Amino acid sequence: SGPRHVAFAPSGKLMYVLNELTSTITAFELDAENGSTKEIQSLSALPPDFSGANTTAEITIDAQGKFLYASNRGDNSIGIYSIDSQSGKLTPVEWMPSGGKDPRHFEIDPTGQWLFAANQNSDNIVLFRIDPKSGKLTRTTELSDIKSPVCVRFMPLM
C-alpha cells in the first residue's frame, strides 16, 4: 500500500498511516506499554465518485484531535475527516479542492485557524480558513508564482 506518512493523535493512543500507492488511510490503536498496534479501520482517502490515477501525499491532525486532513495528488483535494473521540475511527466530512495541481504538502498554522496547501505543479500556495466546529476549509487567498512548492513549515520566533 506504500505507507508514506504517519500522524499521531494528541492523546498518543491513536496513529493514522497515509498509504500513498493505494490512496487509503489506516487507523491503529497504540499500546504504549508493549509497543504494539491494532488496526481499527482502513478507508479511502478519495471521494467516492473519483476515478483516475491518484497518490496521497500529506496527513495531519488538528491540535484538539478532532479532525484529520489528507492530501490527494490526482484528485487535487484535501480530504477532511472527523475523528470519533471514543473509537478513533474516521468519518469523511468533505473533500476540498486544493486550489492547484498536486498538493504535495500542507501545514496548519500554530493558531489552528489556517491551513496552507503547497500545490507543487501549479506553482502556488493556497490559504484556507479552518472552521473549528466542522473542520471544513474555506479558501481565502493564494500565493502565486512560487516555483514548485513542496513544503510549508512554521518556525517558532526566537
Side-chain angles (χ1 to χ4, degrees):
S1 59
R4 179 175 172 91
H5 288 287
V6 174
F8 293 93
S11 68
K13 297 179 182 179
L14 299 164
M15 174 179 76
Y16 300 89
V17 177
L18 186 65
N19 302 300
E20 181 176 16
L21 304 178
T22 57
S23 297
T24 57
I25 303 167
T26 307
F28 294 90
E29 289 179 347
L30 299 175
D31 184 334
E33 286 187 32
N34 63 26
S36 67
T37 61
K38 175 185 170 190
E39 183 177 330
I40 58 172
Q41 182 185 32
S42 187
L43 74 163
S44 179
L46 290 163
D49 60 347
F50 178 79
S51 63
N54 188 79
T55 56
T56 57
E58 186 60 45
I59 187 170
T60 196
I61 297 173
D62 73 320
Q64 291 74 35
K66 293 171 52 178
F67 301 103
L68 179 141
Y69 300 86
S71 64
N72 289 295
R73 297 174 290 177
D75 184 47
N76 296 319
S77 69
I78 298 174
I80 304 154
Y81 303 82
S82 63
I83 301 172
D84 183 272
S85 62
Q86 299 300 311
S87 69
K89 290 185 177 180
L90 302 174
T91 301
V93 173
E94 73 174 356
W95 286 267
M96 172 59 77
S98 69
K101 184 166 174 43
D102 297 328
R104 172 88 181 254
H105 188 263
F106 61 87
E107 182 84 349
I108 296 174
D109 83 305
T111 71
Q113 297 177 44
W114 305 97
L115 184 144
F116 290 73
N119 295 295
Q120 180 179 8
N121 291 321
S122 56
D123 301 332
N124 67 342
I125 296 175
V126 177
L127 176 60
F128 297 90
R129 180 182 298 278
I130 301 171
D131 182 305
K133 292 181 182 171
S134 69
K136 291 182 177 183
L137 303 175
T138 302
R139 183 178 173 156
T140 61
T141 192
E142 174 181 333
L143 305 171
S144 300
D145 298 323
I146 300 170
K147 188 68 178 155
S148 299
V150 295
C151 188
V152 178
R153 288 284 186 231
F154 291 92
M155 306 302 288
L157 297 175
M158 298 295 190

